[in-house]
């Protein structure tokens, strides 16, 4: 029997984490990322249904880190919708030449996450957000390498969207277009992490794609 209260789970790295509170402080439990903006808007619009929004993003996570904690931080929560934004740390470890980046496990781990979700929670809807960067700060010096890796990840996400019948939230083009209005650092202060305006851009793209899909009750 389906729950009467829809549960929407946000998963990812620091971009999703937003320095969220790990306890029960409702002032800070969703952090200050795009997840908070989405929850605020949808929570207001659908107050009669009291949807529950959960943020389990963890700063520094890669796709393989999501897979390692997926039972506890996703499947056990029985969400109706799971939104995933991951990839920048996978790329960062590789570009930085760190030992943890020797093997690129992005697609392999991401696929495992989605396969297990479909197996254990076949009715749960998936929202896959494409990773993004802009040329400023941390990405400037090795820009070509950053873009080569991130473009590959964006292609991977598109393939997984088709394979797992997910909703796609492409974000790179939206950020590229935004730089026509203001410089890259205005949106992603270090080329990776969004500012307040950047998070609002992510939220707007997410809401447009998800509301058009009809997966929200």
């Amino acid at each position: 029997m389906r729950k009467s209260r829809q549960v929407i789970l946000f998963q990812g790295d620091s971009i999703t984490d937003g320095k969220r509170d790990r306890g029960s402080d409702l002032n800070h439990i969703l952090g200050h990322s795009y997840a908070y903006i989405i929850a605020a808007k949808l929570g207001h619009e659908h107050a009669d249904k009291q949807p529950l929004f959960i943020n389990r993003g963890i700063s520094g996570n890669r796709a393989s880190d999501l897979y390692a904690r997926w039972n506890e931080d996703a499947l056990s929560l029985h969400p109706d919708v799971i939104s995933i934004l991951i990839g920048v740390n996978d790329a960062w470890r590789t570009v930085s030449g760190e030992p943890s980046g020797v093997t690129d496990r992005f697609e392999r781990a991401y696929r495992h996450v989605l396969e297990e979700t479909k197996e254990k929670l076949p009715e749960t809807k998936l929202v896959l957000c494409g990773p993004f960067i802009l040329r400023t700060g941390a990405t400037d010096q090795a820009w070509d390498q950053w873009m080569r890796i991130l473009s590959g990840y964006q292609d991977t996400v598109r393939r997984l969207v088709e394979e797992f019948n997910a909703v796609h939230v492409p974000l790179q083009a939206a950020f590229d277009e935004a730089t026509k209005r203001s410089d890259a650092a205005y949106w992603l202060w270090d080329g990776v992490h969004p500012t307040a305006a950047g998070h609002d851009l992510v939220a707007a793209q997410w809401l447009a794609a998800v509301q058009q899909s009809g997966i929200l009750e």
Side-chain angles (χ1 to χ4, degrees):
M1 183 177 295
R2 190 174 182 81
K3 305 181 295 292
S4 59
R5 188 183 194 191
Q6 194 168 35
V7 177
I8 297 95
L9 171 65
F10 296 96
Q11 277 286 3
D13 49 39
S14 59
I15 298 171
T16 302
D17 185 327
K19 291 190 178 295
R20 62 182 175 85
D21 180 73
R22 265 46 173 182
S24 57
D25 183 348
L26 294 182
N27 287 317
H28 306 290
I29 199 166
L30 286 171
H32 53 70
S33 72
Y34 68 92
Y36 179 86
I37 299 171
I38 293 167
K41 183 173 178 60
L42 293 181
H44 180 200
E45 291 180 354
H46 302 281
D48 55 320
K49 299 177 181 177
Q50 297 188 22
L52 175 62
F53 301 92
I54 302 173
N55 186 348
R56 287 292 186 273
I58 295 181
S59 181
N61 266 195
R62 301 156 294 165
S64 55
D65 297 309
L66 286 191
Y67 181 63
R69 61 184 176 83
W70 205 244
N71 278 335
E72 296 82 358
D73 277 354
L75 302 182
S76 69
L77 301 174
H78 299 283
D80 298 286
V81 177
I82 300 177
S83 174
I84 303 174
L85 171 56
I86 199 73
V88 72
N89 288 307
D90 297 76
W92 209 323
R93 305 290 179 87
T94 301
V95 172
S96 300
E98 297 182 27
S100 57
V102 170
T103 301
D104 189 340
R105 298 173 176 173
F106 179 77
E107 181 170 1
R108 186 184 313 172
Y110 209 145
R111 186 179 300 279
H112 286 329
V113 163
L114 299 179
E115 287 173 344
E116 288 199 359
T117 302
K118 283 297 186 182
E119 177 184 347
K120 299 299 181 183
L121 301 174
E123 300 301 316
T124 294
K125 306 302 183 183
L126 299 170
V127 180
L128 308 187
C129 304
F132 51 85
I133 53 171
L134 290 175
R135 187 169 188 172
T136 187
T139 66
D140 188 40
Q141 288 190 338
W143 176 249
D144 289 343
Q145 187 180 10
W146 270 102
M147 271 308 300
R148 183 171 63 254
I149 296 171
L150 259 290
S151 294
Y153 289 176
Q154 291 158 7
D155 289 341
T156 294
V157 170
R158 281 189 283 268
R159 290 196 302 272
L160 293 174
V161 162
E162 294 297 323
E163 184 175 343
F164 291 90
N165 192 30
V167 176
H168 188 209
V169 184
L171 293 165
Q172 185 66 56
F175 276 106
D176 290 341
E177 183 67 21
T179 60
K180 297 177 182 178
R181 298 174 54 205
S182 195
D183 62 272
Y186 181 82
W187 305 101
L188 304 178
W189 64 269
D190 62 351
V192 170
H193 296 94
T195 59
H199 278 293
D200 193 59
L201 186 154
V202 173
Q205 295 297 312
W206 193 99
L207 287 164
V210 171
Q211 289 178 324
Q212 183 178 14
S213 74
I215 65 172
L216 296 177
E217 295 178 345

